[in-house]
Amino acid sequence: MKLTTRGHYSVKALLDLSLQPGYGPTSVKAIATRQDLPAPYLEKLLIELRRSGLVQSVRGAHGGYQLSRAPAQISLGQILEAVGETIEPLPRHTPDAELAEDWVTFTLWHRLHQKLKEALYSITLADLYYDARSWQAAQGEETSFVV
């Protein structure tokens, strides 16, 4: 699996939204500034994330994007899938039936793929939130540990 810029930026943006007090709407510009991301590209990603139901947009002067559900209900796998990332092994390979080592390596990669997929769908934004807050506390920053 290769994590592209799309996946990386999407995870950063949603983690940013999870760190906002009350999960209220946040402008694309504010997220882009805090995360050092290009705003036009971020806007496109957030539109895809909205279409997937992970975020919702709020219009108006104090509008922007916010999470559509609690961080504990949004997994990394869902985020990556929403922006078109694939965690499927590439290239697709059909093992040679006459070579035992081909089947062994095929089975190994298949098992590793399954474990990776399980991990991505079990790690949530809430997990990342606590990791971020713990890191901030270790750096001496004031923080709240409430999700």
Side-chain angles (χ1 to χ4, degrees), residues 66-84:
Q66 62 188 30
L67 297 177
S68 62
R69 53 186 182 254
Q73 296 175 335
I74 300 174
S75 73
L76 290 179
Q78 291 170 320
I79 297 168
L80 297 175
E81 184 180 314
V83 295

mmCIF file of all heavy atoms in Angstrom, residues 66-84:
data_model
loop_
_atom_site.group_PDB
_atom_site.id
_atom_site.type_symbol
_atom_site.label_atom_id
_atom_site.label_comp_id
_atom_site.label_asym_id
_atom_site.label_seq_id
_atom_site.Cartn_x
_atom_site.Cartn_y
_atom_site.Cartn_z
ATOM 1 N N GLN A 66 -17.394 20.398 9.075
ATOM 2 C CA GLN A 66 -17.310 19.753 10.376
ATOM 3 C C GLN A 66 -17.531 18.261 10.199
ATOM 4 O O GLN A 66 -18.072 17.823 9.178
ATOM 5 C CB GLN A 66 -18.334 20.334 11.344
ATOM 6 C CG GLN A 66 -19.775 20.134 10.925
ATOM 7 C CD GLN A 66 -20.750 20.891 11.811
ATOM 8 O OE1 GLN A 66 -20.416 21.933 12.351
ATOM 9 N NE2 GLN A 66 -21.947 20.347 11.950
ATOM 10 N N LEU A 67 -17.108 17.499 11.177
ATOM 11 C CA LEU A 67 -17.306 16.055 11.115
ATOM 12 C C LEU A 67 -18.802 15.765 11.143
ATOM 13 O O LEU A 67 -19.559 16.445 11.837
ATOM 14 C CB LEU A 67 -16.627 15.372 12.306
ATOM 15 C CG LEU A 67 -15.106 15.505 12.396
ATOM 16 C CD1 LEU A 67 -14.599 14.835 13.666
ATOM 17 C CD2 LEU A 67 -14.433 14.920 11.179
ATOM 18 N N SER A 68 -19.219 14.751 10.412
ATOM 19 C CA SER A 68 -20.639 14.404 10.384
ATOM 20 C C SER A 68 -21.012 13.429 11.492
ATOM 21 O O SER A 68 -22.183 13.186 11.740
ATOM 22 C CB SER A 68 -21.027 13.827 9.026
ATOM 23 O OG SER A 68 -20.298 12.650 8.792
ATOM 24 N N ARG A 69 -20.008 12.858 12.123
ATOM 25 C CA ARG A 69 -20.252 11.975 13.267
ATOM 26 C C ARG A 69 -19.043 12.023 14.198
ATOM 27 O O ARG A 69 -18.027 12.623 13.871
ATOM 28 C CB ARG A 69 -20.587 10.567 12.813
ATOM 29 C CG ARG A 69 -19.613 9.938 11.856
ATOM 30 C CD ARG A 69 -20.174 8.597 11.375
ATOM 31 N NE ARG A 69 -19.258 7.926 10.500
ATOM 32 C CZ ARG A 69 -19.414 7.819 9.185
ATOM 33 N NH1 ARG A 69 -20.452 8.349 8.602
ATOM 34 N NH2 ARG A 69 -18.527 7.179 8.450
ATOM 35 N N ALA A 70 -19.159 11.386 15.319
ATOM 36 C CA ALA A 70 -18.095 11.409 16.330
ATOM 37 C C ALA A 70 -16.800 10.816 15.772
ATOM 38 O O ALA A 70 -16.837 9.886 14.962
ATOM 39 C CB ALA A 70 -18.538 10.625 17.563
ATOM 40 N N PRO A 71 -15.659 11.340 16.215
ATOM 41 C CA PRO A 71 -14.372 10.821 15.746
ATOM 42 C C PRO A 71 -14.199 9.314 15.964
ATOM 43 O O PRO A 71 -13.543 8.650 15.173
ATOM 44 C CB PRO A 71 -13.350 11.615 16.559
ATOM 45 C CG PRO A 71 -14.042 12.884 16.889
ATOM 46 C CD PRO A 71 -15.485 12.503 17.090
ATOM 47 N N ALA A 72 -14.810 8.773 17.008
ATOM 48 C CA ALA A 72 -14.700 7.340 17.278
ATOM 49 C C ALA A 72 -15.442 6.504 16.243
ATOM 50 O O ALA A 72 -15.249 5.294 16.164
ATOM 51 C CB ALA A 72 -15.233 7.023 18.676
ATOM 52 N N GLN A 73 -16.265 7.157 15.412
ATOM 53 C CA GLN A 73 -17.033 6.440 14.401
ATOM 54 C C GLN A 73 -16.473 6.634 12.989
ATOM 55 O O GLN A 73 -17.108 6.248 12.012
ATOM 56 C CB GLN A 73 -18.489 6.899 14.443
ATOM 57 C CG GLN A 73 -19.173 6.573 15.749
ATOM 58 C CD GLN A 73 -20.571 7.146 15.809
ATOM 59 O OE1 GLN A 73 -20.890 8.120 15.141
ATOM 60 N NE2 GLN A 73 -21.407 6.539 16.621
ATOM 61 N N ILE A 74 -15.293 7.233 12.890
ATOM 62 C CA ILE A 74 -14.666 7.448 11.587
ATOM 63 C C ILE A 74 -13.291 6.777 11.603
ATOM 64 O O ILE A 74 -12.415 7.157 12.374
ATOM 65 C CB ILE A 74 -14.518 8.958 11.273
ATOM 66 C CG1 ILE A 74 -15.896 9.632 11.252
ATOM 67 C CG2 ILE A 74 -13.786 9.155 9.941
ATOM 68 C CD1 ILE A 74 -15.847 11.145 11.090
ATOM 69 N N SER A 75 -13.114 5.781 10.754
ATOM 70 C CA SER A 75 -11.847 5.045 10.718
ATOM 71 C C SER A 75 -10.929 5.580 9.620
ATOM 72 O O SER A 75 -11.384 6.216 8.666
ATOM 73 C CB SER A 75 -12.096 3.553 10.491
ATOM 74 O OG SER A 75 -12.497 3.311 9.162
ATOM 75 N N LEU A 76 -9.659 5.278 9.762
ATOM 76 C CA LEU A 76 -8.700 5.646 8.727
ATOM 77 C C LEU A 76 -9.064 4.977 7.405
ATOM 78 O O LEU A 76 -8.951 5.583 6.344
ATOM 79 C CB LEU A 76 -7.286 5.237 9.130
ATOM 80 C CG LEU A 76 -6.639 6.018 10.262
ATOM 81 C CD1 LEU A 76 -5.248 5.469 10.551
ATOM 82 C CD2 LEU A 76 -6.576 7.482 9.939
ATOM 83 N N GLY A 77 -9.515 3.750 7.459
ATOM 84 C CA GLY A 77 -9.920 3.044 6.252
ATOM 85 C C GLY A 77 -11.045 3.762 5.524
ATOM 86 O O GLY A 77 -11.026 3.881 4.296
ATOM 87 N N GLN A 78 -12.013 4.284 6.269
ATOM 88 C CA GLN A 78 -13.121 5.020 5.660
ATOM 89 C C GLN A 78 -12.624 6.307 5.002
ATOM 90 O O GLN A 78 -13.083 6.663 3.918
ATOM 91 C CB GLN A 78 -14.178 5.362 6.713
ATOM 92 C CG GLN A 78 -14.928 4.172 7.236
ATOM 93 C CD GLN A 78 -15.779 4.519 8.437
ATOM 94 O OE1 GLN A 78 -15.375 5.285 9.304
ATOM 95 N NE2 GLN A 78 -16.978 3.942 8.480
ATOM 96 N N ILE A 79 -11.720 6.991 5.658
ATOM 97 C CA ILE A 79 -11.181 8.244 5.112
ATOM 98 C C ILE A 79 -10.440 7.965 3.808
ATOM 99 O O ILE A 79 -10.669 8.629 2.793
ATOM 100 C CB ILE A 79 -10.243 8.934 6.119
ATOM 101 C CG1 ILE A 79 -11.006 9.343 7.378
ATOM 102 C CG2 ILE A 79 -9.568 10.160 5.485
ATOM 103 C CD1 ILE A 79 -10.110 9.757 8.538
ATOM 104 N N LEU A 80 -9.559 6.989 3.834
ATOM 105 C CA LEU A 80 -8.767 6.664 2.650
ATOM 106 C C LEU A 80 -9.657 6.190 1.502
ATOM 107 O O LEU A 80 -9.457 6.586 0.351
ATOM 108 C CB LEU A 80 -7.707 5.619 2.994
ATOM 109 C CG LEU A 80 -6.663 6.065 4.017
ATOM 110 C CD1 LEU A 80 -5.729 4.904 4.365
ATOM 111 C CD2 LEU A 80 -5.889 7.264 3.537
ATOM 112 N N GLU A 81 -10.636 5.384 1.819
ATOM 113 C CA GLU A 81 -11.565 4.894 0.800
ATOM 114 C C GLU A 81 -12.355 6.057 0.184
ATOM 115 O O GLU A 81 -12.577 6.087 -1.031
ATOM 116 C CB GLU A 81 -12.526 3.905 1.451
ATOM 117 C CG GLU A 81 -13.481 3.235 0.505
ATOM 118 C CD GLU A 81 -14.402 2.270 1.248
ATOM 119 O OE1 GLU A 81 -13.901 1.487 2.076
ATOM 120 O OE2 GLU A 81 -15.614 2.319 0.990
ATOM 121 N N ALA A 82 -12.746 7.035 1.006
ATOM 122 C CA ALA A 82 -13.548 8.170 0.538
ATOM 123 C C ALA A 82 -12.825 9.007 -0.514
ATOM 124 O O ALA A 82 -13.461 9.589 -1.386
ATOM 125 C CB ALA A 82 -13.944 9.055 1.715
ATOM 126 N N VAL A 83 -11.510 9.068 -0.436
ATOM 127 C CA VAL A 83 -10.751 9.888 -1.397
ATOM 128 C C VAL A 83 -10.076 9.037 -2.471
ATOM 129 O O VAL A 83 -9.187 9.494 -3.176
ATOM 130 C CB VAL A 83 -9.723 10.814 -0.694
ATOM 131 C CG1 VAL A 83 -10.432 11.843 0.165
ATOM 132 C CG2 VAL A 83 -8.701 10.030 0.098
ATOM 133 N N GLY A 84 -10.527 7.800 -2.594
ATOM 134 C CA GLY A 84 -10.057 6.962 -3.686
ATOM 135 C C GLY A 84 -8.754 6.238 -3.467
ATOM 136 O O GLY A 84 -8.187 5.679 -4.413
#
